[in-house]
């Protein structure tokens, strides 16, 4: 499994929104600048996240994006499944894959199935809140 740029950027955007969440919407321009991602490319990712209910979007003055629920309620596996379509390590384990003609004599099927379970179990346990660092307030002046 190789996570695409789209998947990596989606995670970065979601973490950014979790770290900077407030009652206000966060403009696309601000997210793009903080993350060093092209606004045009980011638009496509954000559109998908809004369509699938992970974000709320608002157009116009004061518009932008924000999370639809607390960061602790977003599993990393859900974000990656949305952007990647599959987390399977091999094609025969992808959702809707055609039956493999070699399955009966496949020596590696159980290995790949086990790896698939480990990946899913691991990513299911990590939330957006686990990855986000809330903004620090106050002066941290040290002498």
């Amino acid at each position: 499994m190789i996570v695409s740029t789209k998947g990596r950027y989606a995670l970065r955007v979601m973490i950014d929104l979790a770290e900077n969440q407030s009652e206000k919407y966060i403009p696309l321009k601000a997210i793009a600048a903080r993350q060093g991602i092209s606004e045009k490319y980011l638009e496509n990712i954000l559109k998908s996240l809004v369509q699938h209910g992970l974000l709320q979007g608002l157009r116009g003055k004061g518009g932008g994006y924000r999370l639809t629920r607390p960061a602790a309620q977003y599993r990393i596996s859900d974000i990656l499944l949305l952007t990647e379509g599959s987390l399977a390590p091999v094609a025969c384990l992808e959702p809707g894959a055609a039956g493999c003609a070699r399955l009966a004599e496949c020596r590696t099927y159980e290995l790949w199935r086990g790896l698939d379970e480990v990946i899913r179990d691991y990513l299911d346990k990590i939330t957006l809140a686990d990855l986000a660092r809330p903004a620090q307030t106050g002066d941290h002046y040290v002498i």
Side-chain angles (χ1 to χ4, degrees):
M1 172 192 83
I2 294 178
V3 178
S4 71
T5 302
K6 183 179 180 182
R8 293 191 318 271
Y9 284 5
L11 278 178
R12 285 173 46 188
V13 165
M14 295 294 287
I15 292 166
D16 185 288
L17 289 168
E19 290 175 341
N20 295 288
Q21 66 184 338
S22 69
E23 294 301 313
K24 297 179 182 177
Y25 287 84
I26 300 172
L28 169 92
K29 197 171 238 175
I31 300 166
R34 281 194 298 264
Q35 294 303 315
I37 301 171
S38 134
E39 288 181 38
K40 193 74 172 162
Y41 190 64
L42 194 54
E43 271 180 23
N44 292 326
I45 293 170
L46 290 168
K47 181 180 178 183
S48 177
L49 295 170
V50 168
Q51 286 175 339
H52 289 90
L54 275 69
L55 297 178
Q56 283 181 324
L58 181 66
R59 291 176 175 240
K61 185 175 170 125
Y65 298 89
R66 67 181 180 194
L67 301 177
T68 57
R69 55 188 186 263
Q73 293 180 9
Y74 290 89
R75 295 183 313 179
I76 298 307
S77 59
D78 295 333
I79 298 166
L80 288 176
L81 280 170
L82 172 67
T83 56
E84 298 301 313
S86 171
L87 300 174
V90 290
C92 65
L93 291 173
E94 290 185 2
C100 178
R102 295 185 32 83
L103 185 59
E105 64 266 357
C106 183
R107 303 277 190 243
T108 59
Y109 177 78
E110 289 302 318
L111 167 84
W112 300 128
R113 194 178 61 72
L115 179 59
D116 188 44
E117 286 178 26
V118 169
I119 291 168
R120 285 180 185 275
D121 289 347
Y122 179 71
L123 294 174
D124 280 349
K125 293 176 191 171
I126 303 171
T127 69
L128 198 52
D130 294 328
L131 301 179
R133 294 185 190 119
Q136 300 294 321
T137 57
D139 262 342
H140 297 287
Y141 187 77
V142 180
I143 297 178

